[in-house]
Amino acid sequence: MDVEEVVSGVLEGDRRATARAISMVEDGADDLPELIEGLFSKTGNAYSVGLTGSPGVGKSSLAAELVKAVRSRDRSVAVLAIDPTSPFTGGALLGDRLRMQTHATDPEVFIRSMATRGHLGGLALAAPEAVRVLDASGADIILIETVGVGQAEVEVATAADTTLVVVAPGWGDAVQASKAGILEIADVFVVNKADRDGAAEAARDLEIMLKMGPEMEWVPPVIRTSTVNDEGIDELWEAIESHRKHLEASGELDRRRRARLLREVEEMVSVRLRDRAASMLERGAMEKLAVDLVARRVDPYRAADILVGEVGREDR
Amino acid sequence: MDVEEVVSGVLEGDRRATARAISMVEDGADDLPELIEGLFSKTGNAYSVGLTGSPGVGKSSLAAELVKAVRSRDRSVAVLAIDPTSPFTGGALLGDRLRMQTHATDPEVFIRSMATRGHLGGLALAAPEAVRVLDASGADIILIETVGVGQAEVEVATAADTTLVVVAPGWGDAVQASKAGILEIADVFVVNKADRDGAAEAARDLEIMLKMGPEMEWVPPVIRTSTVNDEGIDELWEAIESHRKHLEASGELDRRRRARLLREVEEMVSVRLRDRAASMLERGAMEKLAVDLVARRVDPYRAADILVGEVGREDR
């Protein structure tokens, strides 16, 4: 398949082409710019929902239930599971993926996990591109599942239109949540595993923290769910829909998407110029500067000044 | 105090000047370049040790014990506690800091917590600068304590010469560790709270994971410590010293420091040019490009191409 075939395949909603396109994003393929160029004008129709939270809170099971909820409303859905893989542990989450197999034969459900092996920009750039592919392929709803609440995962979660922060009973007190920085990014809180002890307390803790925080135009609702008892999933879906309506009515959806798009391009510029600076410094025109830096004859700020000038001049 | 006074104060080891200099780093003060310019040529003597691990594993208590170990060997020590503060929770770690007060009157111990309120480059750039200040102030050993194992904290930990990854019994299985990506960054593993049940198992799990991983020139030792029983602290200090000797003998210390310095300058260049790209795109010369992007007339790669060219041309 060449890029043109992938582009036309994705636009027709062909699953193989879509999978191929995500692989191109994952690997940072050379012809990724052509892929995105071919798809970009056809995007903007999907609504994306990010799920984030510590390992073990049940995000995958919850995503599976949300897939059911979306399908019962007759809309198509794509799930993008983002694995922050390490050289040690490629594929650690494969088990999680298998739980999704109930939907494996539904043509309106597309499930794909993605690492960021080759993409120069890492998750911050690969995630929005994968979402773009799924959007162009005709998915109405895109669920983005990420593992952990590190900075990279937070960035991914905020790449969605609505971000769910998932916790579980006994998941720890308010201080943990605030240390992890998840309060600021949640549009909806989900206390999953609500069949277990401590769910009411976890929900109450969150509600208290939200009251203690600054006033917000949209106050994130706290929804209790259980994928065992099939509890709370419809309420969760309604909360997502309410948030969407809020974003649309306030003009905030357009503002957020615009800001995300500009940030993405700024990040691309930044990654590209960092790469250029690194080449110049490590094996190119500015090698002497590196030597002076290491010998402490030039300080980092001065070195950065010089490089900023040179990186701009370089025309490649 | 003007910058020159701060510089000469830091170089004399004056505590007030050193505290002031760290505040300048924290706030991203306008005269930070002059500060660093004044200090940079006097750095390179300190050895830095990073402590990272999930909240609750006892990093602060361990740092306090390490301070004792360093002092009993008659060397000076600085502790830099890095708080990934959020707008919600400024100062959440103040309680942790107080545990260090036993050393508050020792002139050879300097303790300081730092957030990154104002620094444009965030932790990735603020941490090495703060270490530089402490280095220039004459500290022999610098302990860098960070909270959490998110990407930003991992970056900070790897800014140290030796990185300790601290876990506690019952802290979770091997899979959690590998998901958190901490295996790759550890030079020494510490199983803290070794007086509790499960310490032997946690240590064994780590040792098995290390055996399963790729072959390494330096195999991170797994040290059990208890700050309650005063257990294992000397062994831990010896492990740090062994790692230092390994780095020095193999030439790896110079290589790592060189690579870190170049990466820091590359990051500075990248942050500065990203900022420039953002100004141009959001309120400057490239506003039309932003409009075309949002209207999907120009795709992100093409927009980045254009901006990369323009950002370089801009001379400010």
CSV table of all heavy atoms in Angstrom, one decimal, chain A residues 42-74:
chain,number,residue,atom,x,y,z
A,42,LYS,N,-10.4,16.4,6.0
A,42,LYS,CA,-11.6,15.6,6.2
A,42,LYS,C,-11.8,15.3,7.7
A,42,LYS,O,-12.6,14.4,8.0
A,42,LYS,CB,-11.5,14.2,5.4
A,42,LYS,CG,-11.2,14.4,3.9
A,42,LYS,CD,-12.4,15.1,3.2
A,42,LYS,CE,-12.3,14.9,1.7
A,42,LYS,NZ,-11.1,15.5,1.1
A,43,THR,N,-11.1,16.0,8.5
A,43,THR,CA,-11.3,15.7,10.0
A,43,THR,C,-12.2,16.7,10.6
A,43,THR,O,-12.5,17.8,10.0
A,43,THR,CB,-9.9,15.7,10.7
A,43,THR,OG1,-9.3,16.9,10.5
A,43,THR,CG2,-9.0,14.6,10.1
A,44,GLY,N,-12.5,16.5,11.9
A,44,GLY,CA,-13.2,17.5,12.7
A,44,GLY,C,-14.6,17.0,13.0
A,44,GLY,O,-15.4,17.7,13.7
A,45,ASN,N,-15.0,15.8,12.5
A,45,ASN,CA,-16.3,15.3,12.8
A,45,ASN,C,-16.4,14.4,14.1
A,45,ASN,O,-17.5,14.3,14.7
A,45,ASN,CB,-16.8,14.5,11.6
A,45,ASN,CG,-16.8,15.3,10.4
A,45,ASN,OD1,-17.3,16.5,10.4
A,45,ASN,ND2,-16.2,14.8,9.3
A,46,ALA,N,-15.3,13.8,14.4
A,46,ALA,CA,-15.3,12.9,15.6
A,46,ALA,C,-15.3,13.7,16.9
A,46,ALA,O,-14.8,14.8,16.9
A,46,ALA,CB,-14.2,11.9,15.5
A,47,TYR,N,-15.8,13.1,17.9
A,47,TYR,CA,-15.7,13.6,19.3
A,47,TYR,C,-14.8,12.7,20.1
A,47,TYR,O,-15.0,11.5,20.1
A,47,TYR,CB,-17.1,13.8,19.9
A,47,TYR,CG,-17.0,14.6,21.2
A,47,TYR,CD1,-17.1,16.0,21.1
A,47,TYR,CD2,-16.9,14.0,22.4
A,47,TYR,CE1,-17.0,16.8,22.3
A,47,TYR,CE2,-16.8,14.8,23.6
A,47,TYR,CZ,-16.9,16.2,23.5
A,47,TYR,OH,-16.8,16.9,24.6
A,48,SER,N,-13.8,13.3,20.7
A,48,SER,CA,-12.8,12.4,21.4
A,48,SER,C,-13.0,12.5,22.9
A,48,SER,O,-13.2,13.5,23.5
A,48,SER,CB,-11.4,12.7,21.0
A,48,SER,OG,-11.1,14.1,21.3
A,49,VAL,N,-12.8,11.3,23.6
A,49,VAL,CA,-13.0,11.2,25.0
A,49,VAL,C,-11.7,10.5,25.5
A,49,VAL,O,-11.4,9.4,25.1
A,49,VAL,CB,-14.2,10.3,25.4
A,49,VAL,CG1,-14.3,10.2,26.9
A,49,VAL,CG2,-15.5,11.0,24.8
A,50,GLY,N,-11.0,11.1,26.4
A,50,GLY,CA,-9.8,10.5,27.0
A,50,GLY,C,-10.1,9.9,28.3
A,50,GLY,O,-10.8,10.5,29.1
A,51,LEU,N,-9.5,8.7,28.6
A,51,LEU,CA,-9.6,8.1,29.9
A,51,LEU,C,-8.2,8.0,30.5
A,51,LEU,O,-7.3,7.5,29.9
A,51,LEU,CB,-10.1,6.7,29.8
A,51,LEU,CG,-11.5,6.4,29.4
A,51,LEU,CD1,-11.6,6.3,27.9
A,51,LEU,CD2,-12.0,5.1,30.1
A,52,THR,N,-8.0,8.6,31.7
A,52,THR,CA,-6.7,8.4,32.3
A,52,THR,C,-6.9,8.1,33.8
A,52,THR,O,-7.9,8.3,34.4
A,52,THR,CB,-5.8,9.7,32.1
A,52,THR,OG1,-4.5,9.4,32.5
A,52,THR,CG2,-6.3,10.9,32.9
A,53,GLY,N,-5.8,7.6,34.4
A,53,GLY,CA,-5.9,7.1,35.8
A,53,GLY,C,-4.8,6.1,36.0
A,53,GLY,O,-4.3,5.5,35.1
A,54,SER,N,-4.5,5.8,37.3
A,54,SER,CA,-3.4,4.9,37.6
A,54,SER,C,-3.7,3.5,37.1
A,54,SER,O,-4.9,3.2,36.8
A,54,SER,CB,-3.3,4.8,39.1
A,54,SER,OG,-3.2,6.1,39.7
A,55,PRO,N,-2.6,2.7,36.9
A,55,PRO,CA,-2.8,1.3,36.5
A,55,PRO,C,-3.7,0.6,37.5
A,55,PRO,O,-3.6,0.9,38.7
A,55,PRO,CB,-1.4,0.7,36.5
A,55,PRO,CG,-0.5,1.9,36.4
A,55,PRO,CD,-1.2,3.0,37.0
A,56,GLY,N,-4.6,-0.2,37.1
A,56,GLY,CA,-5.4,-1.0,38.0
A,56,GLY,C,-6.8,-0.5,38.4
A,56,GLY,O,-7.5,-1.1,39.1
A,57,VAL,N,-7.1,0.8,37.9
A,57,VAL,CA,-8.4,1.3,38.3
A,57,VAL,C,-9.5,0.8,37.3
A,57,VAL,O,-10.7,1.1,37.5
A,57,VAL,CB,-8.4,2.9,38.3
A,57,VAL,CG1,-7.5,3.4,39.4
A,57,VAL,CG2,-8.0,3.4,36.9
A,58,GLY,N,-9.1,0.1,36.3
A,58,GLY,CA,-10.1,-0.5,35.4
A,58,GLY,C,-10.5,0.3,34.2
A,58,GLY,O,-11.6,0.2,33.7
A,59,LYS,N,-9.5,1.0,33.7
A,59,LYS,CA,-9.8,1.8,32.5
A,59,LYS,C,-10.2,1.0,31.3
A,59,LYS,O,-11.1,1.4,30.6
A,59,LYS,CB,-8.6,2.7,32.1
A,59,LYS,CG,-8.3,3.8,33.1
A,59,LYS,CD,-7.2,4.7,32.6
A,59,LYS,CE,-5.9,3.9,32.5
A,59,LYS,NZ,-5.3,3.3,33.7
A,60,SER,N,-9.6,-0.1,31.1
A,60,SER,CA,-9.9,-0.9,29.9
A,60,SER,C,-11.3,-1.5,29.9
A,60,SER,O,-12.0,-1.4,29.0
A,60,SER,CB,-8.9,-2.1,29.7
A,60,SER,OG,-7.6,-1.6,29.5
A,61,SER,N,-11.7,-2.0,31.1
A,61,SER,CA,-13.0,-2.5,31.3
A,61,SER,C,-14.1,-1.4,31.1
A,61,SER,O,-15.1,-1.6,30.5
A,61,SER,CB,-13.2,-3.1,32.6
A,61,SER,OG,-12.2,-4.0,32.9
A,62,LEU,N,-13.7,-0.2,31.6
A,62,LEU,CA,-14.6,0.9,31.5
A,62,LEU,C,-14.7,1.3,30.0
A,62,LEU,O,-15.8,1.6,29.5
A,62,LEU,CB,-14.1,2.1,32.3
A,62,LEU,CG,-15.0,3.2,32.6
A,62,LEU,CD1,-16.2,2.7,33.5
A,62,LEU,CD2,-14.3,4.3,33.3
A,63,ALA,N,-13.6,1.3,29.3
A,63,ALA,CA,-13.6,1.7,27.9
A,63,ALA,C,-14.5,0.7,27.1
A,63,ALA,O,-15.3,1.1,26.3
A,63,ALA,CB,-12.2,1.7,27.3
A,64,ALA,N,-14.4,-0.6,27.5
A,64,ALA,CA,-15.3,-1.6,26.9
A,64,ALA,C,-16.8,-1.3,27.1
A,64,ALA,O,-17.6,-1.5,26.2
A,64,ALA,CB,-14.9,-3.0,27.4
A,65,GLU,N,-17.1,-0.9,28.3
A,65,GLU,CA,-18.5,-0.6,28.6
A,65,GLU,C,-19.0,0.7,27.8
A,65,GLU,O,-20.1,0.7,27.4
A,65,GLU,CB,-18.7,-0.4,30.1
A,65,GLU,CG,-18.5,-1.6,30.9
A,65,GLU,CD,-19.5,-2.7,30.6
A,65,GLU,OE1,-20.7,-2.4,30.3
A,65,GLU,OE2,-19.1,-3.9,30.5
A,66,LEU,N,-18.1,1.6,27.7
A,66,LEU,CA,-18.4,2.8,27.0
A,66,LEU,C,-18.6,2.5,25.5
A,66,LEU,O,-19.5,3.1,24.9
A,66,LEU,CB,-17.3,3.9,27.2
A,66,LEU,CG,-17.3,4.6,28.5
A,66,LEU,CD1,-16.1,5.5,28.6
A,66,LEU,CD2,-18.6,5.4,28.7
A,67,VAL,N,-17.8,1.6,25.0
A,67,VAL,CA,-18.0,1.1,23.6
A,67,VAL,C,-19.4,0.6,23.4
A,67,VAL,O,-20.2,1.0,22.5
A,67,VAL,CB,-17.0,0.0,23.2
A,67,VAL,CG1,-17.4,-0.6,21.9
A,67,VAL,CG2,-15.6,0.7,23.1
A,68,LYS,N,-19.9,-0.2,24.4
A,68,LYS,CA,-21.3,-0.7,24.3
A,68,LYS,C,-22.3,0.4,24.3
A,68,LYS,O,-23.2,0.4,23.6
A,68,LYS,CB,-21.5,-1.6,25.6
A,68,LYS,CG,-21.2,-3.1,25.4
A,68,LYS,CD,-21.9,-3.9,26.5
A,68,LYS,CE,-20.9,-4.9,27.1
A,68,LYS,NZ,-21.4,-5.4,28.4
A,69,ALA,N,-22.0,1.4,25.3
A,69,ALA,CA,-23.0,2.5,25.4
A,69,ALA,C,-23.1,3.3,24.1
A,69,ALA,O,-24.2,3.6,23.6
A,69,ALA,CB,-22.5,3.4,26.5
A,70,VAL,N,-21.9,3.5,23.4
A,70,VAL,CA,-21.9,4.2,22.2
A,70,VAL,C,-22.6,3.4,21.1
A,70,VAL,O,-23.4,4.0,20.3
A,70,VAL,CB,-20.4,4.5,21.7
A,70,VAL,CG1,-20.4,5.2,20.3
A,70,VAL,CG2,-19.7,5.4,22.7
A,71,ARG,N,-22.3,2.1,21.0
A,71,ARG,CA,-22.9,1.3,20.0
A,71,ARG,C,-24.4,1.2,20.2
A,71,ARG,O,-25.2,1.1,19.2
A,71,ARG,CB,-22.3,-0.1,20.0
A,71,ARG,CG,-20.9,-0.1,19.6
A,71,ARG,CD,-20.7,0.3,18.1
A,71,ARG,NE,-21.4,-0.5,17.2
A,71,ARG,CZ,-22.3,-0.1,16.3
A,71,ARG,NH1,-22.5,1.2,16.1
A,71,ARG,NH2,-22.9,-1.0,15.5
A,72,SER,N,-24.9,1.2,21.4
A,72,SER,CA,-26.4,1.1,21.6
A,72,SER,C,-27.0,2.3,21.2
A,72,SER,O,-28.3,2.4,21.0
A,72,SER,CB,-26.6,0.8,23.1
A,72,SER,OG,-26.5,1.9,23.9
A,73,ARG,N,-26.3,3.4,21.0
A,73,ARG,CA,-26.8,4.7,20.5
A,73,ARG,C,-26.6,4.8,19.0
A,73,ARG,O,-26.6,5.9,18.4
A,73,ARG,CB,-26.2,5.9,21.3
A,73,ARG,CG,-26.9,6.0,22.7
A,73,ARG,CD,-25.9,6.7,23.6
A,73,ARG,NE,-26.6,6.8,25.0
A,73,ARG,CZ,-26.5,5.9,25.9
A,73,ARG,NH1,-25.9,4.7,25.6
A,73,ARG,NH2,-27.1,6.0,27.1
A,74,ASP,N,-26.1,3.7,18.4
A,74,ASP,CA,-26.0,3.5,17.0
A,74,ASP,C,-24.9,4.5,16.4
A,74,ASP,O,-25.0,4.9,15.3
A,74,ASP,CB,-27.3,3.8,16.3
A,74,ASP,CG,-27.5,2.9,15.1
A,74,ASP,OD1,-26.9,1.8,15.2
A,74,ASP,OD2,-28.3,3.2,14.2
